[in-house]
Amino acid sequence: MASVHSLASTVNQRVADALSAALPEAGAADPLLRRSDRADFQANGILALAKKAKANPRELATRVVAGLPAGSDLIKEIEVSGPGFLNITVADRAIVETLAARAADDRLGVPTAEKPGTTVIDYAQPNVAKEMHVGHLRSAVIGAAMVEILEFTGEKVVRRHHIGDWGTQFGMLIQYLTEHPHELDHQHGGPEEGEAAMSSLNRLYKASRALFDSDEDFKARSRDRVVALQAGDPQTLALWQRFVDESKIYFYSVFDKLDVEIHDEDVVGESGYNAMLEETCQILEDSGVAVRSDGALCVFFDDVKGPDGKPSPLIVKKSNGGYGYAATDLSAIRDRVRNLGASTLLYVVDARQSLHFKMVFETARRAGWLNDDVQAVQLAFGTVLGKDGKPFKTREGETVRLVDLLDEAIERASAVVREKAQDLTEEEIAERGTQVGIGAVKYADLSTSASRDYKFDLDQMVSLNGDTSVYLQYAYARIQSILRKAGDVRPAAHPELGLAGAERALGLHLDRFAESLAEAASAYEPHKLAAYLYQLASHYTTFYSECPVLKAESPAQVENRLFLCDLTARTLHRGMALLGIRTPERL
């Protein structure tokens, strides 16, 4: 079905046409339509146009009003205010008819992009043989939401999980496993396999690190093992693969708990670009983008200097022949542009790595891998803080394990659900508790601008009041309850009816869904969608308290209010799904 024009865009077009008729020399003029607290919309563009044409703005505004008949199916009232603003109130009929067109479409009237491209999005990047901690939360949650939002707009999205699976520490781990071959044997199978896999990896990591630090001979053997790994020795690679496989069992169990879908073919770690590193360095050196400095291959920038004021380069290849992160990241860019056909590379990476990525992107531009047709963007995110406003740690000062955090959120949410539940079984309480707990964690993250730090406060996150996912989930469940109680009475739009104030406010906000989604997609800002959904639930709460639904004055009004309820529920459900949050039918 064709996309639905929002009321704002329809009114904007009508005012623009009237402006062009009143002032032909202005050509295609923009009325600068905005939402207003004085009317439904305010047009602010007449002042600038009048100034340009040396006309009187109030007179011009009056001529525009004459060309826009009030009392039409679209515009109910229009008045000139101040030095030439137009205050415009739309007709109730126009609101209901536009919403009916949205309701008739599976996509709620949201258009797909006219010229979609291919975005490769790099997110959810844990490290092999290491536990996932709170620092891994934001990349996974923000990245998964952006995947859904971009795909919904029609963009082709390729997911990439650039896991840390290469480097010096693997020499130590593999050497230890060679000398203690049963360390990774599974004690038992069963559902706790992910946790069990991690605890044996953890044990092995600690034991190998202790030996590495205390035994010079083991340290030397470990370093030889790194060389064997990089040279592709089959036995060493087979042991390395075991680490990767064990870690994946663990990663997938954590992502599963977080309700984030990860596919094996999308996991391309640092090792995946190994065969390209030498060629990448060669191209950069041959083209003069990178130069030798103290034996290392470096890229220099005028505006990047160290604390001593000397240039601080991007090191692509170290003086000992080893490759830095830059070589891998640049090889990944080449692969994503050349083999995956990317028009946008989106990196959901901690803001503390901004300088590294700025240098990597600039290097790729100089090499011609990024250009006018291919852009790279870092969706940089801030830090997760504790209630004290400091980086989130356990009481012992350790980094908080992601699994523990999610378990606690589920536990808190289950208590909230149990307290409110009227007719839910224990099994249903457990299922809803998980959906509410994980939703709370995701929403707290996504409702904050990604670039800002945010406080991880579970009491606040699972609160039924305020800007929380639980508030939105309860609004959705409340609507489902009303629709069930309505029985055989079906939701139906009645454009002939007048609307109460709370109905108009809800209707006008429902009509802004496509617009808010477009903003979230184009600016890579999922918090804009979260803010829209919170306002939607707030408008619905006011509507619910002021406008009886099933006890409305006439059968037509009952149907029309059920229609508003139903469209609100569908919009909440769709918007929350794009953020990766479940909406239970009953709570």
Side-chain angles (χ1 to χ4, degrees):
M1 182 174 164
S3 62
V4 176
H5 291 297
S6 69
L7 286 164
S9 64
T10 308
V11 171
N12 199 59
Q13 189 58 55
R14 292 276 181 94
V15 178
D17 293 346
L19 246 175
S20 299
L23 194 69
E25 62 269 33
D30 183 359
L32 298 178
L33 200 73
R34 302 279 178 271
R35 288 305 306 272
S36 166
D37 49 5
R38 306 206 170 165
D40 296 333
F41 301 103
Q42 189 173 65
N44 301 336
I46 291 173
L47 290 172
L49 285 167
K51 199 173 174 185
K52 211 169 161 186
K54 298 189 171 45
N56 177 316
R58 259 195 90 89
E59 271 177 27
L60 176 58
T62 310
R63 295 215 307 274
V64 171
V65 170
L68 278 170
S72 68
D73 279 356
L74 177 65
I75 293 171
K76 181 181 175 183
E77 256 175 73
I78 179 165
E79 60 166 21
V80 180
S81 94
F85 300 124
L86 294 183
N87 288 334
I88 302 163
T89 303
V90 294
D92 292 353
R93 170 177 284 279
I95 295 175
V96 179
E97 283 176 346
T98 302
L99 295 184
R102 290 201 179 286
D105 176 31
D106 275 349
R107 292 176 53 85
L108 303 174
V110 177
T112 51
E114 281 175 31
K115 292 182 182 168
T118 298
T119 295
V120 176
I121 174 164
D122 188 327
Y123 69 108
Q125 312 103 341
N127 292 309
V128 164
K130 285 190 180 169
E131 283 198 285
M132 287 176 70
H133 54 77
V134 67
H136 291 115
L137 177 68
R138 300 204 73 182
S139 176
V141 169
I142 296 167
M146 279 317 310
V147 167
E148 296 299 328
I149 290 169
L150 290 171
E151 281 189 334
F152 192 66
T153 64
E155 185 78 355
K156 180 186 174 191
V157 177
V158 182
R159 302 159 169 82
R160 277 292 173 267
H161 309 292
H162 191 86
I163 62 172
D165 65 352
W166 205 244
T168 314
Q169 64 169 8
F170 286 98
M172 171 185 91
L173 288 164
I174 293 166
Q175 188 57 35
Y176 189 85
L177 192 58
T178 313
E179 296 172 15
H180 304 80
H182 298 295
E183 277 294 310
L184 283 183
D185 291 351
H186 282 232
Q187 311 302 315
H188 40 72
E192 61 186 353
E193 204 170 34
E195 278 290 288
M198 192 62 237
S199 64
S200 51
L201 280 169
N202 233 5
R203 206 173 49 245
L204 188 136
Y205 185 83
K206 283 177 179 163
S208 63
R209 169 54 72 187
L211 197 57
F212 186 85
D213 290 342
S214 63
D215 182 333
E216 285 303 316
D217 289 345
F218 177 73
K219 190 180 273 190
R221 293 197 298 278
S222 296
R223 288 191 170 138
D224 291 342
R225 186 63 71 174
V226 177
V227 176
L229 176 64
Q230 289 175 338
D233 170 59
Q235 185 207 354
T236 305
L237 277 176
L239 289 171
W240 168 80
Q241 191 64 52
R242 274 196 75 185
F243 280 109
V244 174
D245 293 343
E246 287 291 305
S247 296
K248 280 184 178 177
I249 293 171
Y250 162 70
F251 295 158
Y252 294 159
S253 75
V254 180
F255 286 128
D256 195 43
K257 185 166 278 190
L258 189 56
D259 201 10
V260 167
E261 219 175 84
I262 303 279
H263 303 288
D264 208 46
E265 64 272 19
D266 301 329
V267 179
V268 183
E270 293 164 354
S271 61
Y273 305 100
N274 215 26
M276 296 174 71
L277 300 181
E278 188 47 47
E279 189 187 20
T280 298
C281 292
Q282 201 63 56
I283 294 169
L284 292 171
E285 191 168 10
D286 291 350
S287 62
V289 172
V291 293
R292 294 273 165 190
S293 175
D294 295 333
L297 187 62
C298 302
V299 182
F300 287 91
F301 308 87
D302 293 340
D303 58 343
V304 183
K305 299 196 168 34
D308 55 3
K310 291 183 178 165
S312 180
L314 182 70
I315 298 172
V316 186
K317 193 173 186 180
K318 299 171 195 170
S319 53
N320 68 1
Y323 300 99
Y325 286 126
T328 312
D329 286 332
L330 288 162
S331 298
I333 288 176
R334 286 176 59 212
D335 174 62
R336 291 165 185 186
V337 174
R338 193 177 60 188
N339 300 328
L340 300 177
S343 49
T344 302
L345 303 174
L346 183 61
Y347 291 78
V348 187
V349 183
D350 192 315
R352 287 170 293 194
Q353 294 188 46
S354 293
L355 179 60
H356 169 78
F357 278 101
K358 181 185 165 192
M359 292 159 84
V360 166
F361 295 163
E362 177 55 30
T363 301
R365 264 191 290 276
R366 291 179 188 177
W369 303 326
L370 298 177
N371 49 43
D372 291 345
D373 300 323
V374 188
Q375 59 158 352
V377 182
Q378 183 192 357
L379 201 177
F381 56 82
T383 308
V384 181
L385 307 173
K387 284 187 193 180
D388 57 2
K390 294 177 181 161
F392 200 14
K393 304 275 187 199
T394 62
R395 285 201 183 91
E396 298 73 45
E398 298 278 315
T399 309
V400 180
R401 290 180 354 138
L402 187 50
V403 168
D404 295 341
L405 201 97
L406 300 178
D407 284 341
E408 195 183 342
I410 291 168
E411 199 179 308
R412 295 279 187 94
S414 300
V416 171
V417 172
R418 175 172 279 108
E419 204 176 299
K420 294 276 289 185
Q422 284 152 4
D423 51 356
L424 297 181
T425 64
E426 275 302 311
E427 198 180 328
E428 286 171 326
I429 289 172
E431 185 199 0
R432 306 291 195 283
T434 301
Q435 294 178 344
V436 170
I438 297 301
V441 169
K442 288 183 173 181
Y443 186 83
D445 194 318
L446 294 167
S447 57
T448 308
S449 165
S451 58
R452 288 175 48 198
D453 301 341
Y454 79 97
K455 284 185 186 174
F456 197 93
D457 180 349
L458 273 176
D459 294 327
Q460 170 55 33
M461 287 179 189
V462 299
S463 164
L464 295 168
N465 304 313
D467 189 1
T468 65
S469 68
V470 196
Y471 176 68
L472 304 182
Q473 286 168 322
Y474 266 102
Y476 178 80
R478 174 182 276 164
I479 298 172
Q480 295 308 318
S481 167
I482 292 171
L483 294 172
R484 283 193 297 273
K485 282 179 189 156
D488 294 337
V489 183
R490 310 307 309 151
H494 285 276
E496 74 281 1
L497 293 178
L499 297 176
E503 290 178 295
R504 296 187 93 252
L506 177 61
L508 286 165
H509 192 72
L510 279 167
D511 188 45
R512 285 188 53 215
F513 179 53
E515 200 179 291
S516 302
L517 205 50
E519 280 176 26
S522 64
Y524 307 122
E525 292 183 322
H527 74 273
K528 289 188 169 165
L529 175 57
Y532 169 84
L533 295 170
Y534 172 61
Q535 287 161 349
L536 178 60
S538 303
H539 280 303
Y540 181 78
T541 305
T542 307
F543 160 81
Y544 179 79
S545 64
E546 291 180 11
C547 304
V549 177
L550 299 176
K551 292 183 177 167
E553 288 170 19
S554 66
Q557 197 175 48
V558 172
E559 289 176 352
N560 201 52
R561 286 181 177 171
L562 281 173
F563 163 74
L564 286 173
C565 288
D566 186 49
L567 187 56
T568 301
R570 286 174 58 196
T571 306
L572 278 171
H573 176 74
R574 171 69 79 187
M576 296 283 268
L578 293 175
L579 296 179
I581 298 172
R582 306 268 172 186
T583 37
E585 300 287 307
R586 291 173 194 263
L587 270 177

